[in-house]
Amino acid sequence: MLGKIIWLTGLSGSGKTTLSKSLYSKLIKLNFKVKRIDGDDFRKRNKIKNNFSRKNIYQNNISIIKNILRIQKKYNFIIVSVISPLLKTRMMSKKIFGKKYIEVYVKCGLRSLFKRDTKNLYKLAKKGFIKNLIGYNSKIIYEKSKYKKVLIDTEKENIHNSTKKILLKTL
């Protein structure tokens, strides 16, 4: 049986990784075989140098898709948390994985992202040290999906309710 893909997408700091960890924990407790793929960890582990150009972002997302295709049979669920701002790569995932693909848009406003800023990315971007932070000062804008997806607004929904909402859509 091929595992379901829960693809968490949204701006940096929106809560994708936190949500993926919560989902992982709940699914493991339900005795599912689960794999987490975090965009930052994936790049580091595979030594992918990403200057966050359109081409590099596309290639990184394609690498994640190829990785999922190699391991999908081993897991009931694969949880991906990656910005994936390009609609093209999410559409590709949707086409490749079909009904096994569940896209979750993790929404959060810029004001809240600045307040959270756990990695200090927005602070550095504001000071001009980062010149390509998607959603803030990048030429690459986050392209919203026009098809049905799960919407999680982390400004309004807590982690418990967000996790529960996703599980209701995936189990």
Side-chain angles (χ1 to χ4, degrees):
M1 178 180 117
L2 294 176
K4 289 185 179 180
I5 313 306
I6 302 173
W7 193 285
L8 303 166
T9 176
L11 296 178
S12 182
S14 61
K16 298 177 303 295
T17 299
T18 302
L19 200 47
S20 76
K21 289 176 182 177
S22 178
L23 284 166
Y24 179 87
S25 176
K26 294 285 186 199
L27 289 167
I28 289 292
K29 285 179 184 172
L30 294 170
N31 291 317
F32 288 109
K33 290 181 77 179
V34 187
K35 173 76 173 171
R36 277 185 62 246
I37 299 173
D38 182 81
D40 292 339
D41 295 340
F42 185 83
R43 275 193 319 278
K44 287 175 192 168
R45 188 172 43 257
N46 293 291
K47 297 179 175 74
I48 296 171
K49 294 200 192 288
N50 193 341
N51 63 6
F52 298 98
S53 68
R54 193 169 201 74
K55 181 181 177 184
N56 283 144
I57 291 168
Y58 177 79
Q59 288 173 334
N60 184 58
N61 283 236
I62 295 304
S63 295
I64 290 171
I65 293 168
K66 288 178 180 178
N67 184 54
I68 293 169
L69 286 168
R70 281 193 301 273
I71 65 172
Q72 190 179 16
K73 291 179 184 174
K74 297 177 186 177
Y75 299 97
N76 301 112
F77 291 92
I78 298 172
I79 304 165
V80 179
S81 54
V82 63
I83 296 172
S84 54
L86 305 176
L87 180 58
K88 182 178 181 177
T89 56
R90 296 191 317 272
M91 290 286 293
M92 186 180 299
S93 294
K94 188 175 182 345
K95 184 177 179 183
I96 290 169
F97 301 116
K99 292 180 181 179
K100 300 283 185 183
Y101 177 81
I102 299 113
E103 185 172 308
V104 178
Y105 175 53
V106 185
K107 177 184 173 190
C108 186
L110 206 51
R111 185 173 287 151
S112 291
L113 293 173
F114 265 94
K115 285 180 188 174
R116 291 178 187 177
D117 206 9
T118 55
K119 300 177 191 173
N120 287 320
L121 297 176
Y122 292 95
K123 181 180 177 182
L124 292 169
K126 189 174 184 178
K127 290 182 177 183
F129 295 113
I130 296 176
K131 300 196 184 319
N132 56 357
L133 183 59
I134 297 164
Y136 180 68
N137 63 353
S138 175
K139 291 178 184 173
I140 298 167
I141 60 162
Y142 182 91
E143 301 167 353
K144 293 184 180 171
S145 304
K146 294 174 179 85
Y147 48 81
K148 188 178 178 182
K149 65 211 155 282
V150 179
L151 173 65
I152 300 295
D153 186 336
T154 59
E155 288 180 282
K156 297 177 182 171
E157 300 173 66
N158 66 33
I159 190 71
H160 173 75
N161 290 339
S162 297
T163 302
K164 187 175 177 181
K165 184 177 180 180
I166 296 168
L167 290 175
L168 287 172
K169 300 282 185 179
T170 57
L171 294 176

